[in-house]
C-alpha cells in the first residue's frame, strides 16, 4: 500500500501520546488506540503509526498488520467530500456496482483512495437504512437515491465550486 | 497431576491433563502430520495457530474434525487419526494449499527440504483439482534473505520467530483474506526495515518463501578464475553440522573432512575462522581487562558491562533498538571480519598478492554474515575484507554438485598461518563459548597464574539467559549470557535501567548460538540436533592440545611480526570497528 508522506507537528505527536497514555500504553488496547487516533486525524498515516508503535511498544509491522486488516482503518486522508457508496444487498441488486464503476472512472481513483486535489475520496459501505432509495450514495452528509451511472457526472458537478 | 485416559486409533493412552491430541498420539508412536505447527520445546518456542488444518483428526461424537495440535485430550475421547474422512480432509487441505502455490518445485531453492513437498509426497497427492486465482507478489531481495511470499502458506512460524522469540518485529501478516501476506511494515523491503538478518525466519519457514541469498555460483566462477587467489575461512559451528547434510549422525565432527573437501573444491588456501576467534579473544579480552582495571581504579566513566560483538545480527539489533548504548559493546570486529582484514594485509603481503586479486570467502552457519561483509566500514577503497559468505547449507549443495563423496573423504589439516586454532576458538560456535574463551585468557593475563581447570561448566547450557560468577583470584567477575535476541533485549533493558550488575555479557542472536544459526542444515524443529552439535563443539575443544587463545603459536607470531600488541594502533585500525545509530534509518516508501 502506498502511503502519503507527512510530517507530524509537535502538537500532533503530543495528542497521539496523550491518547496512548489514556490507555496506559497497554499493547492490548492497540485497536482502541488506533480507533481514537483515527478519530483525531481522520486517517492513520505511517508517521502516526510510528508514534503509536513507540508508545505501546508494539512493532510497526504488527500495527500495520492491524491497520490493513480492518476495513475501518485507513492510511489515506478522506477527501473534503467523502463519497460512500452503499453496496448492501438492496443497493447491489439495483446496480450499485455500475454506479461505483462510474465514480471510479470519472474520479480516476479506486475504492479507498482520494483524488490528488484532496477533494473527493471513495469508500463503500453496507446499508444506510435507505433501501427504498436503492442504489444509495452519500456525499458528506447528503444522501442521493435511485442513482444510475448517468447521474454521476451531474452530482459531482454540484461540488465544482467548493 | 490429573491423568486422562483416551483411545487413539484403538490404542488406549494415558496422558497428563492439558496434553494435546497431537502430543498424546506421539507418545504412543503415532505421528500425525503437521504443517504450520512448530514446537522447539528446549528453547520454549511454540507455534500453534491451528491454521493449516493438516493435523485434523476425527473425534467420536464431534461434528467437525479437530485440529490435533490445538485440541486438548478429554477423558474417554475416541480419536481416529487415519479414518477415511480424515485422510480425505487432509488431502483436500493440502490440495487447496497447493492450488495457490507455484509449481516450480524442481527449481526451488527449498526443494528436498520443503515440508509442504514432503507432505504432498506423504499424502500421495498426484493432482490438484482446484483451479483458481494465484497470489502474485514482488520478490524482495536483501543482502542476506530473499522473500518470495508466493510460496508462503501463512503458517506464521516466521512471525513467531521474528516477534516473540527475537523481538525484532519485522514480519507480520498484513491485509486480509486472499490479499494477506507476511511482510514488513508498509510493505517495505527487508533492507529498509529493522531486520537483523539473523535468519531464524528462514530456519523455520516450511517452504521456499524465505531463503538465503545464494553465493555458490559466484564462488564457482572465482574458483575457476586463474587470475584469482581464493582463500577460505570456515566458522566453528560448520564442522559440527555439515555432516548432517550427508546423512551423518547429528553431532558428528567433520573438521578434517571439511579441510579436505575445501581443498578438493579448489580453494588455494584453506584456513579457519577459529584462528580469528583466537585473535578476537586477544583483542576483546584485553579490552575487557582494560575496562575492568579502569573500573577497579574508580573511573566513573568506564562502560561496563562489556558486551561481545562477534554476532552481526546482534550488532544490527542494538544499532536499531539501543543506539544510545552503542559505546558499551566491545569494539572488536567479529572473527569473520578480523580474518578478512588480516588475510588481505598480513597474508596478502606474505604471498605477495594484491588484495583485489585475493578473494576471501567465508563458510558460515549464518546468513547475517552475508550482510556483515557488505558493510562499508569493512571495505578498503571499495574492496571488501571478506568478499562474500557462504552458508553451511550452500557448501553442502556445492559439495554434492561437485560429485564429491564427502562421507568417505580422508581427514586433513587446515593450512597455516591462518589455520591454527585452540579449543577456545572452537567454542565460539555455541552459546557461552565466546565468554568462556575470553575468561580462559583474561584470567591468566589478569592473575599471572596458569589456569588449571579450563572447563567453565557454569557458563554452558541452553537456558536462554544464564549468569555465573567467575573468581579471578579473589576478584569476582559477574558474567551474563543471552542467546536469542528476545533474551538479549531483557539484559539490555536491565543495563538501561541500571539494574545490571554484570561485568561482561555474551550475546548471540540465534537460539543455541551459531550452532543454531540461520545458515545451518535445517533441523525442522528437532532441538535434539542442536544439543548434539553443542556436544560436538565441546568435544572438539576438549580434544585440542591448546585450549587458550593466547597460546596459539600463530597468534603469537602474528603479533610479533605484524600487529605489535593487542589494542595497538595497527590492531585498532584492522581489528576494531565502530557502531551506528540506526534508529532513524527506517524510512517509509512513498
Amino acid at each position: 500500500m502506498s502511503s502519503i508522506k507527512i510530517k507530524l507537528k509537535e502538537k500532533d505527536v503530543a495528542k497521539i501520546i496523550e491518547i496512548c497514555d489514556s490507555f496506559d500504553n497497554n499493547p492490548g488496547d492497540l485497536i482502541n488506540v488506533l480507533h481514537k487516533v483515527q478519530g483525531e486525524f481522520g486517517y492513520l498515516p505511517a508517521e502516526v503509526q510510528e508514534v503509536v508503535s513507540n508508545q505501546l511498544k508494539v512493532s510497526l509491522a504488527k500495527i500495520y498488520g492491524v491497520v490493513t486488516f480492518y476495513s475501518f482503518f485507513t492510511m489515506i486522508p478522506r477527501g473534503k467530500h467523502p463519497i460512500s457508496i452503499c453496496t448492501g444487498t438492496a443497493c447491489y441488486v439495483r446496480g450499485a456496482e455500475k454506479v461505483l464503476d462510474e465514480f471510479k472512472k470519472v474520479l480516476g481513483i479506486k475504492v479507498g483512495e482520494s483524488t490528488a486535489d484532496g477533494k473527493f475520496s471513495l469508500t463503500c459501505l453496507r446499508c444506510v437504512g435507505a433501501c427504498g432509495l436503492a442504489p444509495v450514495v452519500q456525499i458528506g452528509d447528503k444522501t442521493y437515491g435511485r442513482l444510475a451511472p448517468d447521474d454521476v457526472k451531474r452530482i459531482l458537478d454540484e461540488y465544482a465550486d467548493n | 497431576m490429573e491423568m486422562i485416559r483416551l483411545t487413539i486409533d484403538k490404542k488406549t493412552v494415558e496422558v497428563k491433563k492439558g496434553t494435546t491430541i497431537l502430543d498424546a498420539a506421539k507418545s504412543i508412536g503415532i505421528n500425525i502430520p503437521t504443517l504450520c505447527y512448530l514446537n522447539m520445546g528446549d528453547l520454549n518456542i511454540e507455534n500453534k495457530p491451528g491454521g493449516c488444518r493438516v493435523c485434523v483428526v476425527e473425534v467420536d461424537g464431534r461434528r467437525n474434525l479437530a485440529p490435533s495440535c490445538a485440541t486438548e485430550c478429554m477423558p474417554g475421547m475416541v480419536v481416529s487419526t487415519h479414518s477415511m474422512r480424515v485422510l480425505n480432509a487432509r488431502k483436500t487441505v493440502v490440495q487447496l494449499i497447493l492450488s495457490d502455490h507455484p509449481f516450480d518445485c524442481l527449481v526451488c531453492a527449498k526443494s528436498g527440504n520443503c515440508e509442504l513437498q514432503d507432505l504432498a509426497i506423504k499424502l500421495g497427492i498426484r493432482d490438484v483439482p482446484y483451479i483458481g486465482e494465484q497470489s502474485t507478489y514482488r520478490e524482495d531481495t536483501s543482502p542476506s534473505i530473499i522473500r518470495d511470499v508466493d510460496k508462503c502458506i501463512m503458517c506464521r512460524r516466521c512471525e513467531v520467530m521474528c516477534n516473540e522469540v527475537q523481538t525484532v518485529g519485522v514480519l507480520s501478516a498484513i491485509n486480509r483474506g486472499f490479499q494477506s501476506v507476511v511482510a514488513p511494515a508498509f510493505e517495505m523491503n527487508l533492507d529498509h526495515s529493522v531486520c537483523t538478518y539473523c535468519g531464524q525466519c528462514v530456519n523455520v519457514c516450511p517452504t521456499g518463501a524465505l531463503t538465503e541469498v545464494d553465493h555458490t555460483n559466484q564462488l564457482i566462477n572465482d574458483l575457476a578464475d586463474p587470475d584469482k587467489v581464493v582463500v577460505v575461512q570456515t566458522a566453528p559451528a560448520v564442522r559440527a553440522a555439515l555432516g548432517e547434510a550427508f546423512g551423518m549422525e547429528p553431532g558428528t565432527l567433520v573438521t578434517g573432512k571439511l579441510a579436505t573437501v575445501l581443498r578438493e573444491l579448489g580453494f588455494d588456501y584453506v584456513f579457519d575462522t577459529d584462528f580469528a576467534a583466537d585473535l578476537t579473544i586477544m583483542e576483546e579480552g584485553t579490552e575487557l581487562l582494560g575496562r575492568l582495571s579502569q573500573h577497579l581504579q574508580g573511573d566513573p566513566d568506564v562502560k561496563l558491562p562489556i558486551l561481545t560483538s562477534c554476532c552481526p545480527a546482534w550488532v544490527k539489533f542494538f544499532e536499531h533498538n539501543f543506539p544510545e548504548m552503542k559505546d558499551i559493546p566491545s569494539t572488536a570486529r567479529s572473527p569473520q571480519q578480523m580474518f578478512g582484514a588480516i588475510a588481505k594485509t598480513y597474508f596478502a603481503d606474505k604471498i605477495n598478492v594484491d588484495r583485489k586479486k585475493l578473494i576471501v570467502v567465508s563458510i558460515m552457519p549464518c546468513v547475517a554474515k552475508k550482510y556483515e561483509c557488505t558493510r562499508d566500514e569493512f571495505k578498503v577503497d571499495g574492496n571488501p575484507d571478506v568478499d562474500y559468505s557462504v552458508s553451511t547449507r550452500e557448501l553442502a549443495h556445492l559439495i554434492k554438485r561437485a560429485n564429491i563423496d564427502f562421507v568417505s573423504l580422508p581427514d586433513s589439516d587446515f593450512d597455516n598461518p591462518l589455520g591454527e586454532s585452540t579449543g577456545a576458538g572452537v567454542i565460539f560456535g555455541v552459546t557461552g563459548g565466546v565468554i568462556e574463551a575470553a575468561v580462559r585468557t583474561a584470567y591468566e593475563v589478569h592473575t599471572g597464574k596458569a589456569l588449571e581447570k579450563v572447563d567453565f561448566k557454569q557458563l554452558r547450557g541452553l537456558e536462554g539467559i544464564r549468569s555465573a560468577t567467575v573468581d579471578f583470584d579473589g576478584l569476582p567477575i559477574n558474567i551474563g549470557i543471552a542467546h536469542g535476541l528476545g533474551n538479549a533485549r531483557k539484559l539490555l533493558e536491565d543495563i538501561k535501567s541500571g539494574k545490571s550488575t554484570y561485568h561482561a555479557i555474551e550475546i548471540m542472536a540465534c537460539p543455541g548460538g551459531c550452532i543454531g544459526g540461520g545458515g545451518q542444515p535445517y533441523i525442522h524443529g528437532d532441538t535434539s540436533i542442536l544439543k548434539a552439535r553443542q556436544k560436538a563443539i565441546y568435544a572438539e575443544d576438549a580434544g585440542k592440545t591448546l585450549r587458550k587463545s593466547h597460546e596459539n603459536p600463530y597468534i603469537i607470531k602474528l603479533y610479533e611480526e605484524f600487529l605489535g600488541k593487542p589494542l595497538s594502533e595497527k590492531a585498532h585500525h584492522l581489528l576494531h570497528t565502530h557502531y551506528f545509530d540506526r534508529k532513524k534509518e527506517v524510512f517509509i516508501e512513498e
Side-chain angles (χ1 to χ4, degrees), chain B residues 14 84 107 142 176 196 215 233 266 270 295 330 338 351 444 451 469 490 500 539 543 550:
Chain B
E14 204 174 61
M84 174 92 128
V107 293
S142 69
R176 194 156 39 145
T196 65
H215 285 94
Q233 54 162 319
V270 177
H295 170 69
S330 162
M338 284 202 182
I351 58 167
E444 291 203 351
L451 186 64
T469 302
K490 288 179 196 152
S500 184
H550 58 286

Side-chain angles (χ1 to χ4, degrees), chain A residues 1-3 5 46-47 49-50 59-62 64-66 68-71 75, chain B residues 159 163 169-176 183-188 586 588-590:
Chain A
M1 184 190 278
S2 65
S3 135
K5 200 159 173 67
E47 293 77 3
Q49 294 179 44
E50 277 177 20
S59 80
L60 207 46
K62 284 274 165 208
Y64 180 74
V66 168
T68 53
F69 182 86
Y70 293 103
S71 57
M75 285 181 65
Chain B
E159 257 188 278
N163 293 280
V170 164
L171 295 174
S172 174
I174 58 152
N175 294 329
R176 194 156 39 145
F186 316 121
E187 298 186 50
M188 62 182 135
V586 181
I588 288 121
E589 284 166 310
E590 291 281 334

Side-chain angles (χ1 to χ4, degrees), chain A residues 5 12 23 25 29-30 36 44 47 52 54 66 71 73 85 94 97 99 119 127 138 144 151-152 156:
Chain A
K5 200 159 173 67
D12 297 335
F23 288 96
N25 293 310
D29 274 320
L30 176 63
K36 270 220 149 164
L44 294 167
E47 293 77 3
V52 174
N54 284 336
V66 168
S71 57
F73 295 123
I85 296 166
R94 299 201 57 176
E97 185 98 355
V99 175
K119 198 162 171 180
C127 199
Q138 287 184 320
Y144 300 84
D151 301 321
V152 168
L156 287 175

Side-chain angles (χ1 to χ4, degrees), chain B residues 387-525:
Chain B
D387 290 82
Y388 47 90
S389 170
V390 170
S391 69
T392 313
R393 289 192 294 264
E394 288 167 80
L395 177 65
H397 279 143
L398 181 59
I399 294 168
K400 287 173 187 170
R401 211 169 143 184
N403 24 295
I404 297 170
D405 179 10
F406 184 77
V407 177
S408 55
L409 285 179
D411 288 348
S412 66
D413 288 327
F414 291 106
D415 294 324
N416 280 322
L418 311 182
E420 182 71 42
S421 68
T422 70
V426 177
I427 56 175
F428 266 58
V430 291
T431 166
V434 174
I435 208 75
E436 181 171 344
V439 164
R440 289 180 190 174
T441 287
Y443 179 90
E444 291 203 351
V445 174
H446 178 76
T447 63
K449 292 181 182 171
L451 186 64
E452 297 302 332
K453 235 181 112 263
V454 295
D455 290 319
F456 289 88
K457 297 253 162 72
Q458 67 270 41
L459 301 174
R460 302 178 182 181
L462 273 180
E463 278 284 303
I465 296 176
R466 306 192 294 285
S467 53
T469 302
V470 176
D471 179 21
F472 270 34
D473 205 21
L475 175 68
I477 303 293
N478 300 331
I479 288 168
I481 296 162
H483 57 121
L485 290 169
N487 293 322
R489 184 186 285 277
K490 288 179 196 152
L491 290 190
L492 268 270
E493 297 286 2
D494 280 353
I495 298 172
K496 209 168 154 181
S497 62
K499 267 196 278 179
S500 184
T501 54
Y502 297 117
H503 297 106
I505 295 177
E506 179 204 285
I507 293 174
M508 294 292 158
C510 292
C514 306
I515 50 166
Q520 291 281 61
Y522 295 109
I523 64 169
H524 300 291

Side-chain angles (χ1 to χ4, degrees), chain A residues 94 132-136 144-148 151:
Chain A
R94 299 201 57 176
L133 297 175
V136 171
Y144 300 84
R146 295 207 180 94
L147 287 185
D151 301 321

Side-chain angles (χ1 to χ4, degrees), chain A residues 34-45 48 72-79 114 121 123:
Chain A
L34 291 175
H35 208 112
K36 270 220 149 164
V37 173
Q38 180 164 295
E40 194 66 33
F41 294 90
Y43 68 121
L44 294 167
V48 168
F72 174 79
F73 295 123
T74 173
M75 285 181 65
I76 290 160
R78 288 204 318 171
S114 301
S121 56
T123 52

